[in-house]
Amino acid sequence: MPAFQLTVKSIAGNAISGLGYIHLAYFEADVHSSPKVTPVSVSPIGGFDRYARAQPQGKAFPVHINLATTNQADVDNLKQILDPYKGIQTMVLTDGNGVDRSVSVKSRGMMAIDVLNYLADLWAFDPLMYANIATTLVATIDADSKNVVLTNAGDTRTRNMTMDMIVPNPKESELYKFRWARQAIVVNRSSKAMVNWPVELTNGGWDTTSLIRDTSFATTINGAVTNVQNTIPLVSTAGLSPSGMIFVTDGGANDEQISYALISGNTLQGCTRGIGGTTGVAHSGGQTVNRARMLKNGNDVRVYVDGIEADRFFGTSTSQINAGATRLWVPLDIQPETLTCTVGTAMTAGVPATGGTLKVTTGQSTAGFPNVGALCIDSEVITYSGRTATGFTGLARGARNTTAAAHTESATIYHVQHSIIVCYGWAGADAPPTDAAKLPVFSLAAAESSNTQYEWRAFGNVFKTQVRPADWYPTLTQDDPLYAYTSNVNMLTALQFKDALPTAGAPNANGAQINLPFPIDNVASAIVSDVTQNPVYSVNYYGRDIDGNESLLTSYTGAGTLTANAINSVGLMYALRIAALHTIVTGVPVGQADTSSQTITNNTYMQSTSGAQTFTLDKTSKITSIACHAKAIGAADTMFCQIFKVVLANQPIPGGGFGPYPYDVIDLTHAMSEELAFGSVSSASYVLTQASFTNPPVLPPGFYFLEWRSGTANTLQISYANGLYARGSNYNTSGSFWFELYGQDPITGLPIPQAEASAKTASVVTVDNLIIKMQASTAPLVLFQAVQDTVMMADTLTNPSTGQVLTFSGPFPLPVQGGAGFRTLHIDCSSGLVTVTETGELVGWLVASSDNVGFFGLDPGTNICVYGSSGYGTCTTKPALTITYRSAWT
């Protein structure tokens, strides 16, 4: 290469050699020598400086220009070209063989030697001279590996290389990789983050039955086959792909899914029997054969979030795999939607066009959006390669298999944070990785779960160390003075709380709560649940708004099982708490023995003439239930009870005190019209008997007593217990009927318990089948796109001169279109960025940072680039690898 014959051809696009007023342009000094280098040293501890490396310096290009005229306009023109205030410009040089080279230079000014001669001082910070015209090489990858010879005509390593690979049709062997993919677009429309929150990707259901058994192709088996035969004769194979899967319908348990490697005539060869969870069985012939595009057990259905495989879960019941509306759940982490951009000017499907700019509404900013990313407007995804303060540039319309469409002015612009791809159609797929810790807590049944409505039929491991998606967290509040005596019983199937001290495996907790990524609907029946009540507890539901303020939604009191009870939300609720709180208002203290009894007679009220059942209430209370100790003398009988309030004739009871004894003139009035029926009492020993009011009465402070009766004469006894009442007062201290009243404050819903621990260690309350309906406008926006043929990149590109390897993690599916619509994988070996050129989507995560530096820099004389393509093998359409590079000189 006659490098010494370099002459200036152009500077900043101005053809120096072609300007008529320039007589000659040549280099004044020796610019052909290699750049100087400066030794760089380091100082080791305890030693002299040591040589580390040689640092190349820049190079000066002094250009001598001899003018043919003294015309001032020509001089001014030359000065403008070499203006030192201009930035870095390209200078093209021509060598003695007529080969053009280019180098980036910065003018440091022009100096006049005389009226015709001038000296321009050009400085090159990176003095490498690259070939001005790139070399393009196209190679066909027709085997599992391909060596491509690249000629570096220069004398130094070149790095400015790019490669474009035209993606072929899918590999015909489905036994190797997935064959189809669908892209799922998920947008968080809530101002709260979704942390490990399960999202349903199909947007309502996916017909997997028609994929497992594709009836668009139908034929029959032509003759008997054994259960292990690897050739399957068919009546016709017309319409089947060269390799793939079939489904044989042979009566339930004898149905079989089979893969095949090739077709010869009307016979499938290279068959693998009993795939997809089926079993290889013998077929007599004549059975229906359909095409299959998915394994029956769904093992080939995989989800990749940003190129990394994610745990996925099918729905249950009618939303399971091989159903007409299969649901697919994936736990996702998505940042809150705090970006508030809207479309500035109404859009059409073509305006702004691909490559154009999308302006946001006047006064808004794109601050917060990444510099490169994806947007979602209505049902269209638009990628962009740049961002200004007021818009997005370098658009790619209809990205991620969506369709470019019209959008109104002020349409909301959402940020698409993840690339989510659902892949399937791999006959050889084994069971996907399954992490039980990532299985959503709530039910995955079809009619009960969506992205706006969730049902918890199992509450997971709330009080365990393992936290699962949509899990509940334990709470312990001091709203209940007896909070220390409430323990969690079992959180696997329901929320259950027991009136007992905590023990191993039953921690101290009186509630549980869940923080939601988007609000509960502000509508009627926003929350629905089953509640199994016990009079000892009230079951309270509390909602929290976005600021953390809590309000009581409802309170369930009394005994019995309530099914599908509906609760309204108050405003928009971002969290829900359920609490079980003690409700003992007054009664005998803990530990009181059954010391005596009173016989209850039929239809004769046992009135409190001795004061044995009189009591007072300190404050207004809602009475929900009554409990007593009773036993049967003979046959089983039903016990009844009423509460009465005592009012003295013509005078109040002073200070809530007691009336005179014995009662001379009193007015006995019913405190409520309802008479409690305790049901059958049959035990010959004293047992706890409870009954709850249908309409709990609210009683003001005052003086009360109970009346009891039985359904049949002289068959029941109610126990006495010695001691004072824990709350309220008892007139007769020598003996009191054993009873407890349960209730709560009618205003706050909080309990009014006794000051001592409860004795009802068997009392348990349960909440299950809980449904929460979310605010639809803030629920995730999910778009489940149409099927695409795919080629999976899980291969490596290797530079043999350095040993560097570029690895495609994933596998990452590259969508393929027919005809001239092939999408192109573009690899920039200098920066390490990888793009799909048709969509402009950046997929830079495919390249490890350690592989980016100098990747595919070719040393002179080492001109072989290896593309390892173990994933392709023999393809119907061979991949074409186009490499563009420029040789370099110093």
Side-chain angles (χ1 to χ4, degrees):
M1 175 66 63
F4 55 87
Q5 298 179 13
L6 290 175
T7 58
V8 182
K9 184 176 182 178
S10 65
I11 298 176
N14 296 282
I16 298 297
S17 61
L19 292 179
Y21 57 85
I22 296 179
H23 174 67
L24 181 65
Y26 58 92
F27 291 115
E28 181 184 64
D30 180 15
V31 298
H32 314 300
S33 300
S34 298
K36 294 180 180 180
V37 294
T38 300
V40 177
S41 61
V42 295
S43 299
I45 298 176
F48 293 102
D49 289 357
R50 296 182 182 179
Y51 172 77
R53 69 179 189 277
Q55 180 66 43
Q57 296 179 347
K59 179 187 288 188
F61 288 87
V63 180
H64 189 93
I65 301 174
N66 177 243
L67 299 180
T69 70
T70 58
N71 189 315
Q72 187 61 41
D74 295 336
V75 176
D76 292 343
N77 186 48
L78 187 60
K79 289 181 178 180
Q80 184 177 7
I81 294 173
L82 300 172
D83 186 351
Y85 289 99
K86 290 185 177 180
I88 295 176
Q89 303 178 88
T90 299
M91 177 172 64
V92 179
L93 310 174
T94 303
D95 65 20
N97 289 334
V99 177
D100 290 341
R101 316 178 192 182
S102 62
V103 63
S104 297
V105 295
K106 171 71 174 66
S107 173
R108 293 194 287 195
M110 186 178 72
M111 178 179 66
I113 299 175
D114 54 40
V115 294
L116 292 177
N117 290 283
Y118 294 85
L119 181 64
D121 183 12
L122 304 179
W123 178 254
F125 300 95
D126 179 8
L128 290 182
M129 290 179 284
Y130 291 99
N132 198 40
I133 299 177
T135 298
T136 300
L137 184 147
V138 179
T140 299
I141 301 175
D142 51 8
D144 278 350
S145 63
K146 181 71 174 180
N147 291 340
V148 181
V149 178
L150 308 179
T151 301
N152 183 358
D155 58 10
T156 191
R157 188 178 183 187
T158 180
R159 296 186 182 183
N160 59 345
M161 181 193 306
T162 61
M163 292 185 297
D164 291 296
M165 186 176 66
I166 304 300
V167 180
N169 287 332
K171 184 178 180 181
E172 288 301 328
S173 174
E174 289 191 55
L175 297 176
Y176 182 74
K177 293 282 186 192
F178 307 98
R179 184 160 183 175
W180 293 282
R182 299 176 70 125
Q183 300 201 43
I185 292 90
V186 177
V187 172
N188 185 10
R189 296 184 293 178
S190 170
S191 59
K192 286 192 65 179
M194 297 168 58
V195 179
N196 200 31
W197 186 261
V199 175
E200 204 284 302
L201 297 181
T202 69
N203 196 19
W206 182 20
D207 185 1
T208 56
T209 297
S210 63
L211 299 177
I212 294 169
R213 189 178 310 186
D214 180 4
T215 58
S216 65
F217 170 87
T219 186
T220 56
I221 294 180
N222 189 12
V225 296
T226 69
N227 63 328
V228 295
Q229 186 173 323
N230 64 0
T231 59
I232 307 293
L234 303 179
V235 172
S236 174
T237 58
L240 283 178
S241 59
S243 64
M245 298 184 287
I246 61 170
F247 194 95
V248 180
T249 302
D250 193 6
N254 289 329
D255 290 350
E256 183 183 0
Q257 199 168 26
I258 303 169
S259 68
Y260 61 95
L262 54 94
I263 297 176
S264 178
N266 286 325
T267 300
L268 307 181
Q269 297 185 340
C271 297
T272 301
R273 303 294 298 275
I275 65 173
T278 65
T279 302
V281 295
H283 303 288
S284 58
Q287 287 80 15
T288 299
V289 174
N290 299 119
R291 177 191 293 112
R293 295 194 285 167
M294 179 183 290
L295 292 178
K296 183 181 179 183
N297 57 12
N299 278 353
D300 58 332
V301 179
R302 307 295 180 90
V303 179
Y304 294 91
V305 179
D306 298 335
I308 300 175
E309 185 169 4
D311 292 85
R312 94 293 185 273
F313 305 93
F314 293 119
T316 57
S317 184
T318 58
S319 67
Q320 63 188 350
I321 187 65
N322 198 14
T326 300
R327 294 175 186 257
L328 187 62
W329 296 87
V330 174
L332 292 178
D333 290 338
I334 303 184
Q335 295 298 313
E337 180 55 75
T338 58
L339 310 175
T340 56
C341 285
T342 55
V343 174
T345 304
M347 303 169 59
T348 68
V351 178
T354 293
T357 298
L358 169 61
K359 292 289 186 180
V360 300
T361 299
T362 301
Q364 295 181 353
S365 170
T366 64
F369 283 88
N371 292 331
V372 176
L375 311 170
C376 182
I377 307 174
D378 299 326
S379 297
E380 180 187 359
V381 174
I382 302 173
T383 60
Y384 61 95
S385 59
R387 180 179 64 84
T388 67
T390 59
F392 304 93
T393 62
L395 303 181
R397 298 292 303 272
R400 302 191 184 180
N401 207 31
T402 60
T403 301
H407 307 289
T408 61
E409 181 180 346
S410 299
T412 303
I413 301 173
Y414 292 107
H415 175 213
V416 181
Q417 300 179 29
H418 295 295
S419 172
I420 304 174
I421 301 175
V422 180
C423 305
Y424 61 99
W426 179 11
D430 55 0
T434 301
D435 186 352
K438 296 182 180 179
L439 177 67
V441 170
F442 54 72
S443 169
L444 298 180
E448 299 151 353
S449 303
S450 67
N451 287 320
T452 58
Q453 178 174 310
Y454 303 86
E455 176 168 353
W456 281 264
R457 287 189 168 182
F459 285 79
N461 298 302
V462 175
F463 294 91
K464 313 301 185 291
T465 57
Q466 188 182 72
V467 177
R468 288 166 51 186
D471 218 338
W472 291 70
Y473 298 88
T475 59
L476 182 63
T477 63
Q478 299 184 22
D479 297 337
D480 177 359
L482 298 180
Y483 67 91
Y485 295 90
T486 300
S487 57
N488 163 240
V489 181
N490 178 0
M491 302 303 278
L492 295 179
T493 59
L495 288 173
Q496 293 183 341
F497 300 94
K498 186 176 183 178
D499 181 25
L501 289 170
T503 58
N508 186 199
N510 60 4
Q513 75 175 39
I514 186 169
N515 295 315
L516 301 166
F518 35 96
I520 301 173
D521 268 332
N522 185 22
V523 296
S525 304
I527 304 164
V528 178
S529 68
D530 297 343
V531 179
T532 302
Q533 302 176 102
N534 187 292
V536 173
Y537 285 110
S538 66
V539 180
N540 292 2
Y541 288 72
Y542 302 91
R544 292 179 183 171
D545 63 18
I546 194 170
D547 297 319
N549 301 313
E550 189 172 86
S551 60
L552 176 66
L553 302 180
T554 193
S555 178
Y556 294 119
T557 57
T561 299
L562 306 175
T563 302
N565 282 301
I567 304 172
N568 301 335
S569 65
V570 179
L572 293 181
M573 300 287 101
Y574 284 84
L576 182 68
R577 180 169 70 92
I578 298 176
L581 305 177
H582 284 86
T583 57
I584 300 177
V585 174
T586 187
V588 290
V590 173
Q592 296 300 309
D594 300 311
T595 59
S596 185
S597 63
Q598 174 80 40
T599 300
I600 304 175
T601 59
N602 177 43
N603 296 328
T604 301
Y605 283 99
M606 186 182 67
Q607 299 179 352
S608 184
T609 57
S610 65
Q613 295 187 88
T614 59
F615 65 93
T616 60
L617 291 179
D618 296 347
K619 62 181 295 184
T620 300
S621 304
K622 180 168 67 173
I623 306 302
T624 58
S625 300
I626 298 176
C628 70
H629 272 191
K631 67 179 180 179
I633 298 175
D637 197 4
T638 299
M639 183 168 57
F640 301 90
C641 180
Q642 284 183 302
I643 301 177
F644 287 85
K645 182 176 182 181
V646 177
V647 180
L648 294 179
N650 302 320
Q651 66 177 24
I653 300 177
F658 306 100
Y661 179 81
Y663 301 116
D664 293 327
V665 180
I666 61 174
D667 177 17
L668 300 181
T669 58
H670 284 53
M672 74 291 293
S673 60
E674 181 179 356
E675 184 178 41
L676 284 182
F678 284 74
S680 178
V681 179
S682 58
S683 175
S685 301
Y686 287 111
V687 295
L688 181 67
T689 302
Q690 297 175 332
S692 299
F693 292 107
T694 303
N695 299 301
V698 177
L699 304 182
F703 185 31
Y704 297 86
F705 71 87
L706 302 177
E707 281 193 344
W708 306 84
R709 70 178 179 87
S710 65
T712 306
N714 301 319
T715 58
L716 296 179
Q717 286 185 340
I718 183 170
S719 173
Y720 275 103
N722 290 324
L724 298 175
Y725 292 161
R727 287 184 68 86
S729 302
N730 178 11
Y731 179 76
N732 186 348
T733 60
S734 62
S736 172
F737 284 122
W738 201 115
F739 78 94
E740 287 182 335
L741 267 63
Y742 307 119
Q744 59 187 182
D745 189 306
I747 298 176
T748 66
L750 297 178
I752 315 174
Q754 64 184 42
E756 299 183 52
S758 171
K760 309 300 175 295
T761 56
S763 298
V764 175
V765 293
T766 302
V767 175
D768 61 1
N769 290 349
L770 174 67
I771 297 175
I772 298 180
K773 302 174 183 178
M774 305 300 183
Q775 184 76 3
S777 61
T778 56
L781 172 66
V782 178
L783 306 175
F784 194 50
Q785 299 307 106
V787 63
Q788 298 171 275
D789 288 340
T790 65
V791 169
M792 294 297 170
M793 289 297 300
D795 306 326
T796 59
L797 297 173
T798 303
N799 174 16
S801 66
T802 63
Q804 289 174 311
V805 176
L806 179 63
T807 301
F808 294 86
S809 62
F812 182 78
L814 298 174
V816 176
Q817 295 179 345
F822 280 172
R823 297 186 178 184
T824 301
L825 176 72
H826 178 79
I827 308 169
D828 186 327
C829 299
S830 177
S831 66
L833 295 181
V834 180
T835 58
V836 180
T837 57
E838 187 174 75
T839 64
E841 296 181 36
L842 181 67
V843 286
W845 65 82
L846 296 175
V847 185
S849 59
S850 60
D851 296 334
N852 293 350
V853 181
F855 189 80
F856 271 122
L858 296 181
D859 292 325
T862 307
N863 298 322
I864 296 178
C865 158
V866 175
Y867 171 63
S869 179
S870 60
Y872 277 94
T874 302
C875 299
T876 301
T877 303
K878 309 288 192 303
L881 180 65
T882 301
I883 302 176
T884 303
Y885 65 98
R886 298 168 188 257
S887 298
W889 298 262
T890 56

